[in-house]
Amino acid sequence: MITLTSDFGSPYPAAMKGVIRRHTDAELIDVAHDLPRGDPRAAAFWLRFVLPEFPPAVHCAVVDPGVGTDRDALVVRAGEHVIVAPDNGLAMPPARALATDESDFEVWTLAVDDPASETFHGRDVFAPAAARVRTALDEAASAEAGAADSAGDGSLDADAIAAALSGLDDLAPASDPVDIHFPEPSVERDDGDAIAIDGEVLAIDRFGNVITNVPGDLVRDRDWLRVNGDLTPVAETFGAVDPGERLVTVGSHGYAECDVNDGRGDGAFDLRPGDAVRFVPDSVSL
Amino acid sequence: MITLTSDFGSPYPAAMKGVIRRHTDAELIDVAHDLPRGDPRAAAFWLRFVLPEFPPAVHCAVVDPGVGTDRDALVVRAGEHVIVAPDNGLAMPPARALATDESDFEVWTLAVDDPASETFHGRDVFAPAAARVRTALDEAASAEAGAADSAGDGSLDADAIAAALSGLDDLAPASDPVDIHFPEPSVERDDGDAIAIDGEVLAIDRFGNVITNVPGDLVRDRDWLRVNGDLTPVAETFGAVDPGERLVTVGSHGYAECDVNDGRGDGAFDLRPGDAVRFVPDSVSL
Amino acid sequence: MITLTSDFGSPYPAAMKGVIRRHTDAELIDVAHDLPRGDPRAAAFWLRFVLPEFPPAVHCAVVDPGVGTDRDALVVRAGEHVIVAPDNGLAMPPARALATDESDFEVWTLAVDDPASETFHGRDVFAPAAARVRTALDEAASAEAGAADSAGDGSLDADAIAAALSGLDDLAPASDPVDIHFPEPSVERDDGDAIAIDGEVLAIDRFGNVITNVPGDLVRDRDWLRVNGDLTPVAETFGAVDPGERLVTVGSHGYAECDVNDGRGDGAFDLRPGDAVRFVPDSVSL
C-alpha cells in the first residue's frame, strides 16, 4: 500500500498515480490533496493524526514551499512504516507517532537529480521514489517468504525494512534533517489547579474549527472558559449551543478546539495557525 | 467492497480507510465526503440516488449531527446490500431503494461503547463496524463456496447475509429505528389535467441546482411554468436558455429541477432544502 | 485499469463507479471530477498533461456541455490507450499525446440509445461503454495469453487493441470527429531574438495560476518581461518574489505561467482562458 498526501489539488495527484502504476500495482489510498498550500506544519499535524490509523505502509507526502530550491528528499522509516517526503520537517511528527520508541527511527536522504524549473517534483521525484521503496519492500517480503519456505504474510519487521532500504543505492543516511516540533502549552497552576493555559493554534480544519495544542483533559470538565478574554461555553457537542454560537469542545484528535455551531471558529475567534490562545477558567477572577 | 460516504471533508475519511485496512483488504470506493454538513436528509437523498447503481456491497455512511449524543448505530440489510450508519434515518431511503420488496429488509442495532467526546465515530465506531460486517460476509461466502465444493461466485443471497449478520454478537434487532420519508408532491387537477403542483425542495447540488420532489413527467411536456409565481421556461437542456437565465429541467434522478444556465438556481429562485415550491402551468390563469 | 475524469463534482462519479463494478473488477483511478464545468477545452488540456503518465489504460472522460443534444460518443485508440468520451473534441489532444505517431490512432463512434432528458450520460452511456471496452480488452489479453500457451503479461499491442475494439458491434468508424487544437504562439523576431511573443491562455488551475501556450524556453532566461504591458519578474520559484507579488514562471507542463506568490494570477493579471497574452522582453523599448 502507498498512501498519497499533498496540497496539489486536482488533477496533479493523478499524474503521480500514473507514474506509480508504471512501477508497481500496490494499492493507492489518498489521505488528502487539499491540505493548506505550502504549509508543511499543517501537513505534519494532519499526517500525525491520520497515518497511525494505517497498517504498515509507504506514505508519500508532498507539501513543499521549497520546490525549485535546493532541498533534499527524505525517506524515513518509523516502526514498520516508511514516509517519502521533502526535507522540510513535515515527515517528522508523523514518524514519531508511527515509531514505537525513539530508536525505532531512521532517516535517509534521497538523491534528487538536478531539478529543472518545469519539474513537477510530486510526479518526477516523490512518486517514483515511493514506487521504488514499495517495490524494494515487496521484493524483500517475497524473498523472506521464499527463504522461510512459507507463504508468509507479506509483512516485514522494522529490521528487514531498514535492510531493504539500505540496499537502494540512491539513499544515504541523513545527517541533519529539518524537523518540526509542535509546542507544548504552558499551564499556570495555583495549588494544583490550572488557572491559565497558554496554548497555540496548530491547525484550522476545512470547517473553520480552530485546533489548539491544549490537551482536552485540561478543558473538558469546565462549564465556561475565557478564550483570549471572551467567556465561552465548554460543551461535548456542537448542538449544546445555538447555531451561530461559539463553544470550546474537544476534537477527535484529543485537543481543545474553538468552534462555532454551524459556523466558522476561525472567523468568530479571530484565530490563525500559530496564534496564541489563552484559556482561563471563569471561576478565576480576571 | 465497502463504499464510504460522509460529510467529513478531508483528511478524516483517510483515517477510516486506515482502520478498515487493519481488518480487511476489501475494495474501498468513495461515494462522497463533501455532503451537506450534519444533514442526514440530504445524505439519504444522495445515497438513494447512488447506491442502487452498485453491485451488492457494504456501505458505510456517516452524516451525523448527533455525534456525542446517545444515538445508536445501525446495520441495515436491504436486498443483498448492507448499510452501516447512525440511527438518524439516513440509511432508510437508500435501503428501501436497494430492497426488492418491503420484506426484503432487516435492521439491527450495533452496540456502541461509551462514547467519549474525543471519539471520532467515523473512525472508532462505523469504520470498524463496516470492516467487521464485510469480514463476516466474506467468511460466510468462503464457507458456502467450500460447502458446495465449488468455487462459488463469492456472493451471498439475502438469507445468507442475514444469517451471517445474526451471528455477530454485538448486533441486536432494532426496535424502532429513526426513519426519513421524502414527501410526495400534491397535485391539484382539473378534469385530469394538473393545474398546480405543490412540491418541496429535496436537495441542492454543488452547482446550485434545486432538486424538487416533483416527478419529471409532471413538467416535461410544458413550454412554460410559473415557479412560485414567476414565469420560467421548461427545457431539456441548459443550453436552451441564455447563460444566466432560469429554467425548469428534469435531472438525471428523474425529478424537476429549478436551475440557471451557467449559474446557481438556489440563488435565482431563492430556494433552500425543505422549502415549498409550486409549479403552475402557464395556460392556467393565476 | 479505467481512469475517470469529469466535471460532475460529487457524488455523481460514484454512480459511474457502481455501474462499472457491475461489469468489471478493473482498477478505477480518478483523474479529476472538478474540472471546469462544461469546458471540453480545459478538459483536453488537463488530460493531455496527465494521461501520458499512465501505463496503457482505458480512460473515461466526460465533460459535456452537449448533454441532451445530438452528439455522438467516441472510442479513441491512441497507442495502447483507449479513451471513451463525448464527440466534442476533448479526447483528441490527449490522444495525440498518447499516440506514438500520427498513424497510431483510430476513432470509432459509439451508438448511443435515444437519450431521454433524465439520462445521466456519465452513468448511462460512458461508464458502461468504458466497462465494455475494458472487458473486451481483458478478454482479448486472456485469449492471447492462452493461445501463446503462456501467462503473458496481460497487455495487448496496438493492433490487438484495435482488433478487439473492432469486434464490438456498437462501434463504427468515425467519419468526422470534432477536434480541438491548441493554438501555437506567434513569435516576432529581430535578428533571431524574440522581441515579442503573442500567446493565449490555455487554462487556469485551481490556485488561479494562468497557464499559457508559450513554451517555457521562450521566457526562462529573462529577468523581466512585460506581460500585456506590465513589467513582471521572471523567476524559477514563487518564493523569489514577496507574497502578493506577480511573477512569470514555468509550470510543470513546460509552459509560461502568470502567477502570484500566495495569491491568484487570474485576478492580478486579469486573464481568462482564451485571452491573448503578449510577452515582451524588457530590454526592448516599447
Side-chain angles (χ1 to χ4, degrees), chain A:
Chain A
M1 190 197 309
I2 299 175
T3 76
L4 297 167
T5 306
S6 77
D7 61 349
F8 295 148
S10 150
Y12 299 99
M16 297 175 67
K17 294 180 187 178
V19 167
I20 292 173
R21 267 297 164 272
R22 291 184 170 270
H23 297 290
T24 169
D25 286 330
E27 184 182 24
L28 302 175
I29 295 188
D30 292 311
V31 169
H33 294 290
D34 59 354
L35 291 183
R37 200 179 176 193
D39 185 348
R41 194 182 148 90
F45 174 81
W46 289 113
L47 289 169
R48 187 181 66 165
F49 175 67
V50 172
L51 298 191
E53 305 301 337
F54 279 87
V58 174
H59 307 286
C60 183
V62 193
V63 172
D64 188 10
V67 167
T69 62
D70 239 356
R71 62 96 196 83
D72 287 321
L74 294 183
V75 174
V76 182
R77 183 197 62 76
E80 297 172 1
H81 293 254
V82 179
I83 303 176
V84 177
D87 182 15
N88 60 23
L90 80 81
M92 303 315 245
R96 280 188 288 269
L98 293 167
T100 53
D101 63 59
E102 282 190 27
S103 67
D104 186 22
F105 207 89
E106 286 158 286
V107 186
W108 289 267
T109 300
L110 176 76
V112 175
D113 290 341
D114 183 41
S117 92
E118 75 268 35
T119 301
F120 168 19
H121 282 208
R123 176 193 65 191
D124 301 333
V125 174
F126 294 101
R132 209 152 3 116
V133 166
R134 181 72 269 165
T135 300
L137 300 187
D138 290 344
E139 288 174 355
S142 291
E144 192 174 282
D149 196 18
S150 85
D153 66 348
S155 71
L156 295 172
D157 65 18
D159 288 344
I161 292 170
L165 294 175
S166 299
L168 294 175
D169 57 12
D170 48 358
L171 291 192
S175 52
D176 188 22
V178 178
D179 203 346
I180 290 172
H181 286 279
F182 293 111
E184 295 293 318
S186 78
V187 184
E188 200 177 317
R189 292 185 187 275
D190 180 17
D191 202 17
D193 292 336
I195 56 169
I197 306 153
D198 284 295
E200 186 178 309
V201 176
L202 294 184
I204 311 279
D205 74 15
R206 75 182 270 261
F207 303 117
N209 298 323
V210 176
I211 304 167
T212 75
N213 65 343
V214 173
D217 289 344
L218 289 173
V219 305
R220 198 191 312 276
D221 296 324
R222 318 285 178 173
D223 289 326
W224 296 84
L225 284 170
R226 289 196 182 268
V227 179
N228 287 349
D230 291 327
L231 202 59
T232 308
V234 181
E236 287 201 15
T237 65
F238 280 59
V241 303
D242 287 336
E245 294 297 314
R246 310 180 337 154
L247 75 157
V248 170
T249 188
V250 180
S252 53
H253 29 64
Y255 291 111
E257 287 188 2
C258 301
D259 300 336
V260 168
N261 184 18
D262 206 12
R264 293 189 66 91
D266 53 351
F269 287 90
D270 194 21
L271 287 170
R272 304 288 170 268
D275 283 358
V277 56
R278 181 178 178 90
F279 294 105
V280 177
D282 186 50
S283 57
V284 177
S285 65
L286 308 170

Side-chain angles (χ1 to χ4, degrees), chain C residues 181-256:
Chain C
H181 286 279
F182 294 111
E184 295 293 317
S186 78
V187 184
E188 200 177 316
R189 292 184 187 275
D190 179 17
D191 201 16
D193 292 335
I195 56 167
I197 307 152
D198 284 294
E200 185 178 310
V201 177
L202 294 182
I204 311 279
D205 75 14
R206 74 183 272 260
F207 303 116
N209 298 323
V210 175
I211 304 167
T212 75
N213 65 342
V214 174
D217 288 343
L218 289 174
V219 304
R220 198 192 311 279
D221 295 324
R222 317 283 179 178
D223 289 325
W224 295 87
L225 283 170
R226 290 198 181 268
V227 180
N228 288 348
D230 291 327
L231 201 60
T232 309
V234 181
E236 287 202 14
T237 67
F238 280 60
V241 303
D242 287 336
E245 294 297 314
R246 310 180 337 154
L247 74 158
V248 170
T249 188
V250 181
S252 53
H253 28 64
Y255 291 111

Side-chain angles (χ1 to χ4, degrees), chain C residues 15-252:
Chain C
M16 297 174 68
K17 295 179 187 178
V19 166
I20 292 173
R21 268 294 165 273
R22 291 183 170 271
H23 298 289
T24 169
D25 287 328
E27 183 182 23
L28 303 175
I29 294 189
D30 292 310
V31 170
H33 294 291
D34 59 354
L35 291 183
R37 199 177 179 195
D39 184 349
R41 195 181 146 89
F45 174 81
W46 289 112
L47 290 168
R48 188 182 64 165
F49 176 66
V50 172
L51 297 191
E53 305 300 338
F54 280 87
V58 173
H59 307 285
C60 183
V62 193
V63 172
D64 189 10
V67 167
T69 62
D70 240 355
R71 62 94 197 85
D72 287 320
L74 294 183
V75 174
V76 182
R77 184 196 63 75
E80 297 172 2
H81 293 254
V82 179
I83 303 176
V84 178
D87 182 14
N88 60 23
L90 79 82
M92 302 316 242
R96 280 188 288 268
L98 293 167
T100 54
D101 63 59
E102 281 191 26
S103 68
D104 186 21
F105 206 88
E106 287 159 285
V107 186
W108 290 266
T109 300
L110 176 76
V112 175
D113 290 341
D114 182 42
S117 91
E118 76 267 34
T119 301
F120 168 20
H121 282 208
R123 177 192 65 192
D124 301 334
V125 174
F126 294 101
R132 211 155 358 118
V133 166
R134 182 72 270 167
T135 301
L137 299 187
D138 290 343
E139 288 174 357
S142 292
E144 193 174 282
D149 196 17
S150 85
D153 67 348
S155 72
L156 296 172
D157 65 17
D159 288 343
I161 292 171
L165 293 175
S166 299
L168 294 175
D169 58 11
D170 47 0
L171 291 193
S175 53
D176 188 21
V178 177
D179 203 346
I180 290 172
H181 286 279
F182 294 111
E184 295 293 317
S186 78
V187 184
E188 200 177 316
R189 292 184 187 275
D190 179 17
D191 201 16
D193 292 335
I195 56 167
I197 307 152
D198 284 294
E200 185 178 310
V201 177
L202 294 182
I204 311 279
D205 75 14
R206 74 183 272 260
F207 303 116
N209 298 323
V210 175
I211 304 167
T212 75
N213 65 342
V214 174
D217 288 343
L218 289 174
V219 304
R220 198 192 311 279
D221 295 324
R222 317 283 179 178
D223 289 325
W224 295 87
L225 283 170
R226 290 198 181 268
V227 180
N228 288 348
D230 291 327
L231 201 60
T232 309
V234 181
E236 287 202 14
T237 67
F238 280 60
V241 303
D242 287 336
E245 294 297 314
R246 310 180 337 154
L247 74 158
V248 170
T249 188
V250 181
S252 53

Side-chain angles (χ1 to χ4, degrees), chain B residues 2-26:
Chain B
I2 300 175
T3 76
L4 297 167
T5 306
S6 77
D7 60 349
F8 294 149
S10 151
Y12 299 100
M16 297 174 68
K17 294 179 187 178
V19 167
I20 291 173
R21 268 295 165 272
R22 291 183 170 269
H23 298 289
T24 170
D25 286 328

